[in-house]
Amino acid sequence: MADTVRGIWQSIVQTKRLYLNPHEQFGRANICRAALVSYVGMYFLFKWNQNRKAEIARAERKAAKAIAAPAHH
């Protein structure tokens, strides 16, 4: 069991060193980091835009309700 866990852990560490080692030649680490940051940035931009559109839609529904049912004095 311990040998299996050690083998899996070593493969994870080797993969991490392969893609995230800052001393690696050919800029592989920089390319990997740039791709990860880009994907994370796109995700947060998408979520921000989704929330912004939801706020706009909510405000439009509220305004439409106010127009459709004016207050009676």
Side-chain angles (χ1 to χ4, degrees):
M1 177 72 179
D3 290 337
T4 305
V5 172
R6 190 177 300 117
I8 293 170
W9 180 250
Q10 285 177 348
S11 69
I12 292 170
V13 170
Q14 286 173 349
T15 304
K16 181 194 87 64
R17 286 182 184 149
L18 182 66
Y19 287 103
L20 299 177
N21 186 359
H23 307 295
E24 182 63 45
Q25 296 173 348
F26 310 118
R28 189 185 303 141
N30 289 333
I31 292 168
C32 182
R33 284 190 204 117
L36 291 173
V37 168
S38 297
Y39 288 133
V40 169
M42 284 187 276
Y43 171 78
F44 283 117
L45 185 64
F46 176 77
K47 293 302 282 182
W48 171 79
N49 195 38
Q50 191 177 30
N51 290 338
R52 186 180 63 87
K53 286 182 179 179
E55 288 291 327
I56 291 169
R58 208 172 292 126
E60 287 175 353
R61 281 196 305 271
K62 193 174 181 181
K65 263 188 197 175
I67 293 170
H72 296 285
H73 293 288

